[in-house]
Structure formats: structure tokens, C-alpha cells
Amino acid sequence: MESEQHFVVTNKTFISVWAALVALTVITVLVAQAHKGNTSVLVPLVIATTKASLVLWYFMHLKYEKKLFKLMLLVPIITLLVILGLTFLDIWFR
Amino acid sequence: MSTENHFDYTGSKIGMWLFLFTEIILFGGLFLVYAVYRYTYPHEFHEAGEHLQVSLGFANTLILLTSSLTAALAVSSLQRDRKYASLWYISGTVALAAVFLINKFLEWSSHISAGMYPGAPALLAKGHGENLFYGLYYVMTGLHGVHVLGGAGALSLVYVWILQGKVDKDRYVALENAVLFWHLVDLVWIYLFPLFYLLI
Amino acid sequence: MESNFYTEPTKYNDLRKWVCSTDHKRIGLLYMASIFIFFLVAMMIGVVMKLKMLSAGTTFISARTYNSLFTVHGVIMIFLFIIPGIPAALGNFILPLQLGAKDVAFPRLNLYSWYFYIAGAVCALTSLFTGGGAPDTGWTFYVPYSVTTGTNVSLAVFGAFLLGMSSTLTGLNFLTTIHRMRAPGMGWFRMPLFIWSLYATGWVQLLATPIIAITLVLVILERLFNVGIFDPSRGGDPILFEHMFWIYSHPAVYIMILPAMGIVSEIIPVFARRTIFGYKAIAFSSLAIALVGYLVWGHHMFTSGMSDTARVIFSLLTFIVAVPSGVKVFNWVASLYKGSSVISAPLIFVMAFIFLFSIGGLTGLFQGALNIDMHIHGTYFIVAHFHYVMFGGTGFAFFAGLHYWYPKIFGRMYNEKIARYACGLMLIGFNVLYFPMFILGWQGMPRRYYDYPAQFQALQRLSSVGSWILVAGILLMFHNLVKSIRKGTPASSNPWGGKTLEWQTTSPPPTENFVEIPVVTSGPYNY
């Protein structure tokens, strides 16, 4: 067993994050209902990404991990964005 | 390394994260398909999306978010050597997974009985955009459902390992990894929910 | 021979000693045996195809059979031979040794990867004889034909899915191993270049393969439930399938070639007896190739109906990928320059590699140019190009690595003279087989056609003759290698005078690789 220091997150932190996630979910539903008929995907995506970041940062411990983990996570995210962008070069201009 | 088992905590965690990356890309492929078709058929997607019940999706979101909380608490409990609390949290997570799946099953059944399934004449009559919307809805929530099952399975396995003492306050990386996977399942749903249910 | 991993006692004493072993060396050999069996099968299929092309019109096989033959040849060569090839066989054996580690990071997962490989192979091969018969779509499984054909595409595609999982898990394992298990003192820039190439490959395996996995799942779902995601009559977009297919399959080209480049970078300094020229440039060019490899998939689709903007940009990006490959070739040649070269089989294979890979790479630029590709797309030109890169490149480098590490793996030497003859025969046969295909393609001979007009007769025949010479060379090489496993003269720990860690242990290595974990105090190629 290696003698690495593991940060134990308090229950309070976890519960606050959960409350924030629930609040954001309520907000995204309310926004959608207030703007009925609006096909924009931007607002729901921004909210979803905020939620996802909370899950990654706290629930998945990323905040407390070595720098390596944070850097590595960027790789698939950038890959996906690049794939999406290049595909849309075709879709947009077809 | 058949004889001695040297154990590398950070190594197993790197392995797990790399595995999660493959999952992100796997779902990413489907999100790409979704993006292309939503861009091609914005109004049809909108029309089709109105038939999904926001309340069901909302309930399932709350269920998964809560299950993520209990999963996270399971890890910190074990780290504090509170084995039974951890076991309870794991059971809670698995139970919530089951509720999620039952919910999903009922939802799928109601769509199918309404004639909204791939290849159904009623769906084809609605047009291309609607057909693709429902096609993607089944494929994406279906694949997500399979991951819910897998995650619940992994958590149950770790539950047994904790009972057997193979996983404890000093060696909890197996629980941590199963829980990481569980959070990923939640993460995917966080995006699925607005993309399918909030097109109102 | 002294005690080694073959002779040391293991948990089992029957076949399970191999198929249930988590020792990376045994798993590497399991892969090697299975990979070469499939290679020989697909090679024979290739010979049959070339035999058919001796004359035009229907001869001893039907057009339908020919469709199945090129599909099966492609599927086996791509998914069962060249993608797993170097990383799974040589990589598994050599990677932990070069790192100074006892095994990979996840030995059991490593064994499961091989199980996935075998399961995938079984599915792919079963699909040939069951259901509606062997798939006839080409290895690319393009929709809508792959969804509508009555042949057994679903099972073959599922096989490819399993093979993808095997490849992903191998990549995951190697990445973790490289991050965590380097010997004390081995910083990132003291790693052998083969490891750097496996590192870059690992990331590509990890980040590209899931895309093909989901695409193949979609094809299966289309066939089973008729969802319509790629079906234009239901609103789907078949070009989107091509995008997704090539989002994986172009980076997959780098899964195939990067480890080959790694082998070349190992062999050259050892046999030139001088340090590699531009270590960091080679290391970073591996990463650069992996990176840029993601940006160029569209050049497979210039004639698909993709938007003009996309075509122009993909064409531009394609030229960029030539830069890091060029950097490597220049560095290899510069390393050979003024070296005290020891001419030996591995180096001869490497020089054949540089020659063939350069031809393959430069003809790739023809096709990267949008306007020229309009003319040669889907002709023999492309077939010749990718055989030069994949077989002339990866294949020859694989064989070079096989000869180079042979004494380490088996503890014996092959017959040097036969190895040289075999390489010469292969080099001649290869060029006689594939070079005429450049000309045929340029003149308009389409790929995958089983018939051709009379004016192509002479070059077609020449090409078929080349296939016999090539096969003779390959068989001679395998004969030499297989025979020498038992009959070769025993090899010393370090017959080539290599400086990397695998040469610091005995040949073959003990089960735990090193009696004492070595400590690294300098770079890998200090001559």
C-alpha cells in the first residue's frame, strides 16, 4: 500500500453539491417552460455543462486529484469538440 | 505478475479514468449523430420532443442525482471506516438505479403502445425528423440504460467484496472506481435530459 | 539455457499454462501465434484474388465470391492482423521489459483483451459460413448496402466490435503501464522510442476506437430494428456513417503505423552504432501524428458528396500530417549517416521499410490533393498506396522487429542468410505485385472489380506474378523463424549490443523479467 494522502470529502460538501444540482435541474426545466417554442439548445447545454462540471469536480473527486487527472480529462473533451467541429464543416456548408 | 500482487492505487485510478474516457467518446459518437440530425430537422425534433413527459424525465434526473450523492457518500463513509454506513449507501444507490430503470421501462412501454417505436407505421407517417428523434431516443436512452445496469452490477459486486473484507478502509479503490463509473452514468443523463425532454 | 519463463514452474501444467496465464510474455506470444495464423489465412485469400485477376472475365470464382474474398481479406488483415499486430504481439512482450517492469499494469485485463480478440475472431470467421454467407460489403461496411445486404454482416460487425474492445483495453493497459511502471530513473525522455510510439498509439486506441464501436452498434441496430439512422428513405444520412467510420478508421491507420515507426527508431541506432538523431523530435512527432491524425479523416470521402468547404479544409489538413512523418524519415536517415552500420537482417528489413514507406507516403500526398483524388479515388492507385504504407510500412517493420527481438523472445538465433534472402525476395515480390497497381489505378482500373478490359491484361498478370514471389519470400521467412525456435543456435542476452533495458536481462527472460529491477542513469541510445 502506498502512503498517499487521500482527501476525505465532508458529507456537507456532497450534500451542498447535490442541492446545487437539483436547483440547476429545476432552473433548466423552468427556463424551458418559460421559453416554449424556442428551439435554441444553448441555455440547456450551458446548464447541463455546469451540472456536469459539478459532478466531475466534487462527486468524481477531480478537485482533489493530481494535476495529471485534470489534464487527461481535457484530452477526450477536446477530441470530441474537434470531431464535432470538423463534421459540421460538412453539415453546415453542404 | 502471477505470484506477487503489488498494488498501485494511482495506477488503478488512471486505468479507470482512461476507461471513462472511452465511455465519453462512445456516447460522444451518439451525441454527434444527435447534433447532426437536430441541426437538420430542428422543427421536427421540437414537435416530437413535445410528446415526451417532462415530469418523468425530471423525476429520473432527481433519482440519478440522488443516487450519485449516495454513491459519493458510500466512498467517504468507507474511507472513515464506517463499513455499514457505506454498505447502506451502496444499497441505496442500487435501489435508486432499479427505480430509474422501472421508470424508464414504463416510459418506453407507453411510447411503444402508442405506436412510437422504430419501423412502426404510425411513426413513419410522422416524417423523417420525428422518426430520427425517436430512433435516437431509443438508442441513446437504451445504451444509457445498459450502463445503468452495468453500474448497478459493479456496485453490487463491490458490496459483496466489502462484506468479504476484500475492500475496506485501506483498500477502497474498487469502490471508488465503481462509483466513478456510476457518476459517469449520471453525467450522461445530465445531457440526455435536456436534449430529449426539454424540447418543449 | 538457464532458467527462463518457459521452463520455470507455473500454476498449471497443461494448455492452461498459456491460455490462463497473465504473464505479458506468454500473452504476447499467444497474440503472435494467433495474429500470424490469421495473417497467413488472409494472405492466401489475397493470392486467390490475384490468381483470379490473371485473366479477365469469370474464371474459377464468381463475382459474388470475389466480393466476399476482398471483404474477408480486408476484415482479417485490418482487424485481426495489422491493428492488434505490433502493439499486442511485440508490444506486450517488449514494453514491460523496456520499461524495466515485471509486467503490465493490469495483467488480468491483458489476458481478457486476448479473450476479446479471440471472441471477435471467432465471430468474424463464423460469419463467413453462417447466416446469409460471407459479408460482401468490403471491410468498410458502408451503409446503405451493409444494412440491406442479406449476407451475414451483423455477426461480422459484432466481431469487429469485440476486436475494438480488445484493442481499446490494450491501449488502456499500456498507457497506465507507461505512466506508472517505468524503472527508477527512467524519466519521460529516457524512454526508448518504441515506448513513445506505443504511448501515442495507446491514446489513439483509447480515443478513436469507441467511435467505431458505437457506429458498428448502430449498423447492427439498423439491421435488427430498422431504426433509419443512416437510411436516406427515413431521413438518415449515409454520409454521416462515412464520417463516423473514418473518424475511427483514419486514426486507426496511425494505430497501425506508429508502433512500426517505433520499431524502426529502435533498430536504427543499435545497428548504426550511434545515438539516434533528434530523439525528442521523433518522440514528439509520434504525438503530433496521433494528434493531426484526428483532423484528416475527410480525405477518405472526397467523392462522397461532402460539402466543398469540408473537402478543401480536409485536403489542407492532410498535407500537414506529412510533416511529422517526414520529420521521422529524415531523422532515421540522418541517424544512419556516418554510423558504423552493422548490416544484419533487422536493419535490412528496416531499410526496406524506409524505401517502401516513402513510396507509400508520397503517393498518399497525391490522394490528399483534392483535384487529383477526384481522378484516382476508388482505383487500384489507392489500393497500391495503402499496401505500400500498411504492408510495406507496418508489415516490414513488424518483421524487422520480429527478427530484432527474436533472440530475446526465443533465446535462439534464426538463420541470418535465409532471413536476408527472404527479405530480398519479399522486397522484389512486393514491388512487382503492387507497383503495377499504381499504374493500373492511374489508368483507371477501379478497385474491388473482378473483371477488367483487355488493355490492363499485361500489368494485371505482372502483378499476379509478383504475388507469388512475395508469398514465397514470406513463407521462407516464417519457415526460418519457426524452425529456429527449436534448432537455432542459442542466443546471448544481448546479441546486438542494444542499450535498452530488455537486453539487460537473460534471453529468454525469467518469469519476473529481471532478477533485480534495473536503475536507469542515462538515455536509451548512448553509443
Side-chain angles (χ1 to χ4, degrees), chain C residues 281-350:
Chain C
I282 296 182
F284 283 123
S285 66
S286 286
L287 295 179
I289 290 174
L291 187 80
V292 185
Y294 270 95
L295 314 177
V296 299
W297 78 80
H299 66 218
H300 296 268
M301 302 165 55
F302 284 159
T303 60
S304 67
M306 188 170 57
S307 80
D308 289 343
T309 317
R311 294 198 295 176
V312 170
I313 291 174
F314 274 125
S315 181
L316 180 75
L317 291 168
T318 299
F319 281 90
I320 296 177
V321 89
V323 175
S325 311
V327 166
K328 277 188 195 279
V329 174
F330 283 127
N331 279 307
W332 292 328
V333 177
S335 305
L336 283 170
Y337 178 67
K338 286 195 173 169
S340 329
S341 298
V342 182
I343 303 295
S344 187
L347 187 66
I348 296 173
F349 272 102
V350 160

Side-chain angles (χ1 to χ4, degrees), chain C residues 212-228:
Chain C
I212 195 74
I214 194 66
T215 313
L216 296 175
V217 167
L218 286 174
V219 169
I220 295 175
L221 290 175
E222 287 289 284
R223 287 178 67 86
L224 293 179
F225 300 109
N226 230 329
V227 188

Side-chain angles (χ1 to χ4, degrees), chain C residues 171-194:
Chain C
L172 187 157
N173 219 335
F174 285 3
L175 286 181
T176 314
T177 310
I178 296 168
H179 268 284
R180 299 296 300 170
M181 300 179 74
R182 293 182 315 245
M186 186 184 280
W188 283 91
F189 293 111
R190 286 182 182 173
M191 288 198 314
L193 287 163
F194 183 53

Side-chain angles (χ1 to χ4, degrees), chain C residues 24 27 31 92 104 106-114 173:
Chain C
H24 69 98
I27 295 171
Y31 269 116
N92 250 323
V104 293
F106 309 111
R108 223 176 321 152
L109 187 70
N110 202 14
L111 179 65
Y112 296 154
S113 304
W114 184 71
N173 219 335

